[in-house]
Amino acid sequence: MIFTLLSCLLLNTAVQAALDTWTNGTTEECVCEAFLPNGTFPNGELILLESTSIEINRKLEIEISKVEMYEVQIKVYIAKIVNLTVLIESMEADPDSYNELHIEEVKIKIKQVEALIVELQTSLQITSAVLITIREQIDVMISALTRLEITYDRNLVLVTRRQYIILQQKLLECERRHNEIFNPNIGVCSHGGINRISKPIISQLNANLNSGYKYGGWGKDSSPVSGSENMYWYAGAADTLFTTVTLYSDYYKLIIRQAFQTNQLYVYNKYDWRGSGNNYIVRSNAVYYQYNNPFRMAKFNLTSATVETKVLPEATTRFSYHYSPNQNLDFAADETGLWVTYATEASNGKLVLGKIDENSLELREVWQTSVFKPSVGNVFMVCGVLYATRSVDSKTEEIFYTFNTHTRRETYVSIQFEKFQDSYVYLDYNPTDQKLYMYNNGYYVNYHVWFNQNDTPKLNHEN
């Protein structure tokens, strides 16, 4: 707009000078019409976003310093507990050398440590709430920037977008350190199952920046090889045909769409390894997915770019999930290994769950459930327990059913969580960070998962 008006002024000046020369002083008027777009660039909104980023950065710096302080405190508390343990063991070994006063002093020290731990736990919970709020603010800002980038000049938005990506990186690092303190048992199944799901964390629209790419998935490797612990993957399409999987070295690269590897499952006149559906996963640097033709399981090695397939006995293509067609084989991974869910004609559409041997691609064990697959939104596995979801309304999803493979026990539950948008095609749990990854109408969405921790028996999961 500014450029147009300046051009108009310069043109008026030049033409006026020419007319003055040609008409010997006669005055003429030159009119320059500027056709402005329907909407001018919202500079005010961008300035507000930048000021918000400064405020969020300040909050993050405060929380990061708190987490650093918590780490120091924990080391001090551990030292106190170790000293107390040594003292108690000494008293047990030689009780005659200690009187009631000594015992009372030990009790006081134990209560002091307990009070310190309770105080630290409260502080961690407050920090956790603050980090969730910061993440929500950043997600809102990223969505706004994505909208501006698509609608207006991309270069004008780029600097601010990078600021927010840096903030997201800081937040992820702070969350990682916080989780290691608050929940050091990632990968361990000493809990009583899912207690609740966080609000949706919306990263942004897919790497293709195409809202028509409604089918696909994204996430992290559930059992990463050394060096790829931070790697993310993405696959998206306008239909349920699975043709490409793209890899990013970390979250930052995912957000700015800088891939380090793209794998094509179809090359004309060479090979056709394409799949169907959306419920594929990456595990140990291999993609497990539903082979398109003929219908079977497939394992695509991301290093060697080779494919191995295996027929899944009795599996049928007649029953899919509620939200999407061709969801016939659903692969999942948890703390205990690799799984696949499907339906058979013999089961009349009810879900069947199989444990996969990752080396042979054979089923090691199979369980029959009583839940009808077309009524299910999606399923995922945690510690050998299957969780099935269904729609409550346009904004709410519900975990309504669980099947425990250790006890063969089925349970109907109600754990509701926000869906972000009315339908999604991909939902999987990742044991490396205890998060749910969802692909919802082309957006990257994820959730924190909380578990029942009090007075819960350990799950005797397989190795």
Side-chain angles (χ1 to χ4, degrees):
M1 181 180 71
I2 294 171
F3 175 77
T4 306
L5 293 176
L6 283 173
S7 300
C8 190
L9 283 171
L10 290 170
L11 181 63
N12 272 326
T13 303
V15 172
Q16 186 62 56
L19 285 172
D20 287 345
T21 303
W22 294 339
T23 58
N24 296 319
T26 355
T27 58
E28 296 286 347
E29 183 179 1
C30 174
V31 178
C32 180
E33 295 183 357
F35 295 94
L36 300 180
N38 292 332
T40 55
F41 187 85
N43 289 313
E45 187 174 354
L46 197 60
I47 291 169
L48 179 61
L49 289 173
E50 288 176 343
S51 64
T52 305
S53 74
I54 294 170
E55 177 63 22
I56 291 174
N57 188 65
R58 186 185 67 82
K59 289 181 182 178
L60 262 178
E61 294 294 344
I62 292 172
E63 295 308 317
I64 288 170
S65 66
K66 285 182 182 179
V67 171
E68 290 172 350
M69 181 184 66
Y70 298 154
E71 290 175 334
V72 173
Q73 286 178 323
I74 284 176
K75 289 177 182 177
V76 173
Y77 299 165
I78 289 172
K80 287 179 179 289
I81 292 169
V82 168
N83 291 336
L84 274 172
T85 303
V86 171
L87 180 57
I88 291 169
E89 287 174 349
S90 176
M91 293 174 71
E92 289 175 342
D94 188 13
D96 295 334
S97 299
Y98 298 90
N99 54 34
E100 290 185 6
L101 182 60
H102 291 129
I103 295 172
E104 199 60 35
E105 287 177 354
V106 171
K107 287 182 179 179
I108 291 170
K109 287 180 180 179
I110 291 172
K111 286 181 180 178
Q112 288 174 341
V113 172
E114 284 179 344
L116 290 171
I117 291 172
V118 169
E119 182 183 352
L120 177 61
Q121 187 177 24
T122 302
S123 299
L124 284 165
Q125 288 172 340
I126 292 170
T127 294
S128 181
V130 172
L131 290 176
I132 289 171
T133 302
I134 290 173
R135 176 174 279 283
E136 289 172 352
Q137 286 182 285
I138 291 176
D139 289 338
V140 170
M141 297 304 109
I142 286 288
S143 297
L145 286 167
T146 300
R147 173 176 52 79
L148 290 175
E149 186 177 12
I150 294 171
T151 309
Y152 300 97
D153 184 355
R154 183 174 179 271
N155 294 323
L156 293 175
V157 187
L158 196 57
V159 175
T160 306
R161 166 175 278 282
R162 283 176 178 163
Q163 291 174 356
Y164 274 90
I165 290 170
I166 291 169
L167 286 177
Q168 281 190 318
Q169 282 294 100
K170 275 190 175 182
L171 176 62
L172 283 170
E173 175 61 19
C174 190
E175 285 183 327
R176 182 189 65 77
R177 294 175 67 176
H178 175 266
N179 286 340
E180 286 176 356
I181 298 172
F182 193 69
N183 185 13
N185 295 320
I186 285 180
V188 178
C189 292
S190 55
H191 57 72
I194 293 177
N195 173 272
R196 64 187 177 95
I197 307 293
S198 74
K199 286 186 174 294
I201 301 162
I202 301 100
S203 296
Q204 67 169 44
L205 194 62
N206 57 61
N208 299 94
L209 289 181
N210 189 331
S211 58
Y213 277 47
K214 296 181 181 297
Y215 301 95
W218 78 293
K220 298 183 74 175
D221 192 315
S222 63
S223 180
V225 298
S226 179
S228 64
E229 292 85 358
N230 296 321
M231 185 186 78
Y232 283 79
W233 62 271
Y234 157 69
D239 53 34
T240 59
L241 197 62
F242 173 44
T243 60
T244 306
V245 58
T246 308
L247 307 180
Y248 304 85
S249 57
D250 54 37
Y251 184 76
Y252 176 79
K253 297 296 185 183
L254 171 80
I255 295 302
I256 65 173
R257 304 185 295 281
Q258 287 187 359
F260 75 86
Q261 182 177 323
T262 299
N263 300 274
Q264 301 289 346
L265 300 179
Y266 172 74
V267 175
Y268 181 69
N269 279 345
K270 286 189 176 181
Y271 55 80
D272 187 353
W273 298 332
R274 287 177 291 184
S276 293
N278 310 281
N279 286 297
Y280 24 76
I281 64 163
V282 175
R283 183 171 177 82
S284 300
N285 212 43
V287 185
Y288 292 87
Y289 65 100
Q290 175 182 311
Y291 204 75
N292 189 45
N293 188 20
F295 172 63
R296 56 181 62 194
M297 296 189 294
K299 177 182 179 180
F300 178 81
N301 189 308
L302 291 167
T303 303
S304 62
T306 56
V307 171
E308 178 185 354
T309 67
K310 188 78 67 173
V311 173
L312 190 59
E314 300 183 15
T316 178
T317 60
R318 199 159 68 88
F319 301 98
S320 184
Y321 286 142
H322 171 69
Y323 292 118
S324 175
N326 297 327
Q327 303 284 65
N328 308 121
L329 304 181
D330 182 0
F331 294 90
D334 65 0
E335 292 81 356
T336 71
L338 180 66
W339 305 83
V340 62
T341 52
Y342 55 99
T344 67
E345 296 296 335
S347 73
N348 293 316
K350 292 179 180 177
L351 273 175
V352 178
L353 173 64
K355 185 70 176 290
I356 299 175
D357 184 306
E358 297 176 47
N359 295 319
S360 65
L361 211 58
E362 299 280 356
L363 292 188
R364 288 165 48 184
E365 195 171 356
V366 173
W367 295 264
Q368 172 70 62
T369 77
S370 63
V371 65
F372 188 53
K373 186 176 179 182
S375 69
V376 173
N378 219 296
V379 303
F380 58 90
M381 298 293 299
V382 180
C383 289
V385 178
L386 178 141
Y387 292 82
T389 72
R390 66 183 175 190
S391 177
V392 175
D393 54 45
S394 61
K395 294 182 178 179
T396 310
E397 192 77 356
E398 176 188 53
I399 297 173
F400 74 98
Y401 171 88
T402 69
F403 180 87
N404 190 321
T405 61
H406 313 296
T407 63
R408 296 184 177 269
R409 181 184 176 190
E410 297 180 296
T411 307
Y412 285 88
V413 297
S414 179
I415 303 171
Q416 296 188 357
F417 58 98
E418 192 177 324
K419 200 164 31 181
F420 172 59
Q421 294 191 46
D422 57 355
S423 65
Y424 63 92
V425 296
Y426 180 90
L427 184 68
D428 256 314
Y429 168 80
N430 193 299
T432 66
D433 55 12
Q434 292 185 335
K435 287 186 178 183
L436 285 176
Y437 288 85
M438 174 187 282
Y439 191 73
N440 189 319
N441 272 331
Y443 282 86
Y444 304 141
V445 184
N446 67 89
Y447 300 83
H448 290 288
V449 179
W450 279 274
F451 298 99
N452 294 300
Q453 298 291 354
N454 298 325
D455 300 324
T456 55
K458 285 189 177 182
L459 293 172
N460 296 317
H461 61 267
E462 299 171 331
N463 294 320

